[in-house]
Amino acid sequence: MPTWLDPQDVTFQSAGTAGQPVQMARVRVYVNDFNVGEVDYLKSVAAESVQEMRFLSQNETASRYGPTGGQVGIVLVLKKVKSH
């Protein structure tokens, strides 16, 4: 498993203001462009259902999804289900 999927190994830091301690950036997960929660959500997703997975920086996440309070993003695109 890539280390950026393990919440214990997340080392992204949010730049604080002068005199404030540096805080770890929270990770937000998006599935097919819908916010589904925090990184623990990934445990419920079957690997074979994932078409694409991307990591977004704080700036990329804010640009794509609006103000996020400095959160980084993991974006999943699920495979399309074939109908018979």
Side-chain angles (χ1 to χ4, degrees), residues 1-7 9 53:
M1 171 168 67
T3 57
W4 55 272
L5 294 180
D6 185 353
D9 289 337
M53 179 182 287

Side-chain angles (χ1 to χ4, degrees), residues 32-82:
N32 295 337
D33 286 328
F34 289 96
N35 181 343
V36 294
E38 296 187 2
V39 73
D40 284 340
Y41 180 84
L42 295 174
K43 295 176 185 175
S44 69
V45 178
E48 58 272 3
S49 70
V50 177
Q51 177 179 329
E52 180 180 336
M53 179 182 287
R54 288 191 174 191
F55 171 81
L56 299 179
S57 70
Q58 293 170 337
N59 288 340
E60 291 169 321
T61 303
S63 292
R64 187 166 179 174
Y65 297 107
T68 62
Q71 295 176 340
V72 296
I74 295 175
V75 179
L76 300 180
V77 175
L78 301 181
K79 293 178 182 175
K80 295 187 183 348
V81 178
K82 296 178 184 177

